Amino acid sequence: MGNILIIDDEKNYLVILEDLLSEEGHRVLTAESGPEGLELVKNNDLDAVITDMKMPGMDGLQVLEEIRAVDADLPVIMMTAYGTVEKAVEAMKKGAFHYILKPFENEELKVLVQKAVEHHLIVRQNRQMRGILEERHHFHNIVGKSPPMQKVYDLIRKVAPTKATVLITGESGTGKELIARAIHFNSPRKAGPFISVNCGALPENLLESELFGHERGAFTGAVGLRKGRFELAHGGTLFLDEISEMSPPLQVKLLRALQEMRFERVGGTETLHVDVRVLAASNRNLKEEVAAGRFRSDLFFRLNVVHILLPPLRERTGDIPLLAAYFLRKYEKQTGREEMSLRPDALRVLLDYPWPGNVRELENVIERAVILCPGQEITEDDLPSELLRPAPFSPAPEPAAAVSPDRGLEFAKESPYRAQAQRLLPPGPQRMRQLRALDFISSHGYITNRDYARLNELSERQALRELSEMVDRGVVRRVGKGRACQYVFPDQARTS
């Protein structure tokens, strides 16, 4: 039930409405004039206002305008006679919640008031939730005091108030989406939507529809019109994660949309115009992708107006204690544990580990330790064994029947190609996956695109890109064509 204010110069209407709404459980305040009602609006927490349209001195339209100046979210219901319906329509255009004609049915008024109260509750909850999100994603809540992170904060402060496109790069797990959200919620667009799409998670045809929408019948399964992410982000921010995974044809369409903020839905002819700020992210070096011909240079320059490079966790080890403490508090609440702490020996392990998965991996480790630790103090023994004795990945050997007798001799486990690859391939999680592939070749004699994808839990499209980079850098050689092609060491013949 809600707090309702009724404004009417006719006392009998005030009495009738007060009794009617009080019986429904509402708390009712009354005022006999516009100025008196405005004082009650300013001094009470109201959920809806019912005001007569025609009153001496200050009429209903003036009351509406004054109320909206005080609280734009407060629903106002206009009461009007048949002769002033045009005025009621004008009030609706100026922001009134609804109007009702005198004389009215009691049930009609009850339903309308209840809708107004529920509407106000939803608006307030949304506003509170937005406030929580804004606070959560303010850049001062990003954990880290190291010099590299201070540079990131400085860039966020400078770029957030602008409309500039931002390219956020860094290894997987460094928090690129967190930075994108911080930029959005510290910008003038914070009241608008923040829409995120992972460009590497969808095949090309679905990604185009996801971004730009589609018309009914545009393709099999398109049973109705669907708005794309660009339309949904109108007035706000669109975050394109893993932008490097986008195919060249789709890159062309994206470039046009970025330059003109105009596009057509898939299967449509109508050109749509939107107002969207675009933030993009990639865990790849896009300059190298451009040089290799896998990413359009014009799109790169359009995205790279402002570049924010997130440092890997191994380059800001001073932030590890802060992050560990933050995740301890987070998972204490979720698991019902209290006053958990890290013993010095456990903290030393965290500081010595290289964290190939960056902040995401650290968070997972702390969550696991909070769940499994028998006491209040996390020790070295509560941490995963791979943190204590980090070792290179070694794939399981093939069954004996599938490996020729001499293959194990021809490809030693510690292949000389591994050391060469470490010099030729850029550091990061991708290189770890590529070294994993070299170990696989050493044991099996070759690797296919499907093997690489399964080995590293990737899409086959991303696997192809990473294998192609190894070919471009001379780490491996591609033998054969299509799905049957194999990747082998440079001086190795194709394996049958």
Side-chain angles (χ1 to χ4, degrees):
M1 299 297 102
N3 297 327
I4 313 298
L5 169 64
I6 307 168
I7 307 173
D8 199 325
D9 61 315
E10 297 184 48
K11 291 185 180 180
N12 59 325
Y13 261 105
L14 293 179
V15 172
I16 292 170
L17 291 175
E18 183 177 8
D19 289 344
L20 180 66
L21 296 177
S22 295
E23 289 176 0
E24 293 296 303
H26 299 293
R27 174 176 171 262
V28 181
L29 303 175
T30 61
E32 296 182 22
S33 68
E36 183 185 347
L38 289 174
E39 284 300 312
L40 291 173
V41 170
K42 294 174 183 177
N43 296 317
N44 290 273
D45 184 16
L46 300 174
D47 295 297
V49 175
I50 304 172
T51 180
D52 192 24
M53 177 66 73
K54 191 175 181 180
M55 295 184 292
M58 180 181 287
D59 67 7
L61 279 178
Q62 292 174 296
V63 170
L64 171 65
E65 291 174 356
E66 293 292 334
I67 289 176
R68 288 188 62 78
V70 174
D71 184 355
D73 295 331
L74 184 60
V76 178
I77 298 171
M78 312 298 294
M79 291 188 298
T80 182
Y82 280 105
T84 55
V85 172
E86 293 81 4
K87 285 279 188 181
V89 173
E90 183 182 348
M92 294 286 288
K93 292 178 180 178
K94 291 185 176 181
F97 179 76
H98 219 294
Y99 70 91
I100 190 167
L101 296 174
K102 292 181 176 180
F104 46 77
E105 296 290 335
N106 289 351
E107 289 302 317
E108 181 186 4
L109 180 67
K110 290 178 185 178
V111 170
L112 189 54
V113 169
Q114 187 59 36
K115 285 182 178 179
V117 170
E118 292 173 355
H119 171 79
H120 191 233
L121 176 61
I122 292 171
V123 169
R124 293 177 75 171
Q125 289 175 339
N126 286 344
R127 188 174 293 279
Q128 290 171 357
M129 183 59 67
R130 182 164 292 278
I132 292 170
L133 286 172
E134 288 178 18
E135 176 62 23
R136 180 181 299 170
H137 295 295
H138 196 281
F139 65 84
H140 69 239
N141 284 328
I142 302 172
V143 180
K145 295 183 178 180
S146 61
M149 290 306 296
Q150 292 300 323
K151 292 181 180 179
V152 171
Y153 303 150
D154 188 48
L155 279 172
I156 294 175
R157 289 188 191 96
K158 291 177 179 177
V159 77
T162 72
K163 294 183 179 180
T165 305
V166 180
L167 178 62
I168 308 166
T169 61
E171 296 178 7
S172 294
T174 50
K176 295 185 285 294
E177 183 164 350
L178 182 65
I179 298 300
R181 289 182 180 274
I183 292 172
H184 171 74
F185 283 105
N186 288 277
S187 77
R189 294 173 175 265
K190 63 184 180 182
F194 178 89
I195 304 295
S196 175
V197 58
N198 189 325
C199 300
L202 296 168
E204 179 183 349
N205 59 330
L206 292 182
L207 180 57
E208 183 178 7
S209 172
E210 195 71 23
L211 288 174
F212 304 112
H214 62 252
E215 299 287 347
R216 180 180 179 182
F219 49 83
T220 303
V223 294
L225 182 149
R226 181 181 179 185
K227 291 183 178 181
R229 300 298 178 96
F230 265 92
E231 285 183 81
L232 296 175
H234 179 66
T237 302
L238 176 63
F239 176 54
L240 302 175
D241 199 7
E242 301 303 340
I243 189 76
S244 58
E245 302 304 313
M246 188 176 290
S247 68
L250 196 49
Q251 290 178 30
V252 176
K253 190 166 184 178
L254 174 62
L255 177 62
R256 182 205 168 204
L258 291 176
Q259 289 175 334
E260 303 176 10
M261 283 297 150
R262 298 176 187 274
F263 60 91
E264 294 82 34
R265 298 190 190 104
V266 176
T269 56
E270 180 188 1
T271 299
L272 305 173
H273 178 266
V274 291
D275 174 24
V276 173
R277 183 187 193 173
V278 173
L279 309 177
S282 175
N283 62 3
R284 294 177 178 275
N285 185 322
L286 287 188
K287 285 186 177 180
E288 293 183 359
E289 294 294 299
V290 170
R294 292 189 291 267
F295 200 81
R296 292 182 62 94
S297 60
D298 47 5
L299 178 57
F300 168 71
F301 292 123
R302 183 64 185 79
L303 293 170
N304 195 37
V305 177
V306 177
H307 181 206
I308 297 179
L309 174 62
L310 293 184
L313 190 54
R314 62 182 175 276
E315 292 180 8
R316 56 181 186 112
T317 54
D319 291 335
I320 291 177
L322 295 174
L323 287 162
Y326 173 81
F327 293 135
L328 272 178
R329 303 290 84 80
K330 175 181 177 179
Y331 290 107
E332 278 177 355
K333 292 179 181 178
Q334 290 189 11
T335 59
R337 306 289 297 270
E338 293 183 359
E339 298 181 359
M340 300 285 291
S341 63
L342 279 169
R343 240 177 44 181
D345 61 330
L347 181 58
R348 174 47 52 193
V349 171
L350 299 184
L351 291 169
D352 290 342
Y353 185 66
W355 298 108
N358 292 294
V359 178
R360 186 185 296 126
E361 184 181 8
L362 174 61
E363 180 176 3
N364 293 342
V365 166
I366 296 298
E367 180 183 10
R368 174 189 183 277
V370 169
I371 293 171
L372 300 181
C373 177
Q376 301 300 110
E377 201 173 38
I378 296 173
T379 71
E380 180 179 327
D381 294 335
D382 298 313
L383 299 176
S385 59
E386 57 264 29
L387 268 67
L388 308 177
R389 295 175 294 278
F393 177 88
S394 180
E398 279 186 332
V403 183
S404 61
D406 60 343
R407 188 167 298 169
L409 298 174
E410 185 180 352
F411 302 103
K413 184 179 179 180
E414 294 299 328
S415 166
Y417 297 104
R418 212 176 197 280
Q420 180 185 7
Q422 287 178 319
R423 294 193 303 271
L424 295 175
L425 297 171
Q430 180 174 312
R431 183 171 73 176
M432 295 185 66
R433 295 193 292 267
Q434 291 166 328
L435 293 177
R436 223 174 268 168
L438 294 182
D439 291 339
F440 189 96
I441 297 173
S442 293
S443 297
H444 298 69
Y446 66 93
I447 192 168
T448 66
N449 188 63
R450 179 171 292 184
D451 291 334
Y452 189 99
R454 290 176 175 174
L455 184 67
N456 292 298
E457 298 182 351
L458 301 170
S459 68
E460 291 195 25
R461 192 171 81 180
Q462 186 173 348
L464 179 60
R465 296 171 79 95
E466 296 187 5
L467 284 166
S468 296
E469 181 183 54
M470 297 173 73
V471 173
D472 294 341
R473 294 179 179 273
V475 177
V476 295
R477 184 165 59 90
R478 186 187 286 113
V479 180
K481 295 181 179 181
R483 292 185 175 273
C485 79
Q486 300 173 348
Y487 296 84
V488 300
F489 292 130
D491 58 353
Q492 177 189 344
R494 178 172 181 172
T495 304
S496 58

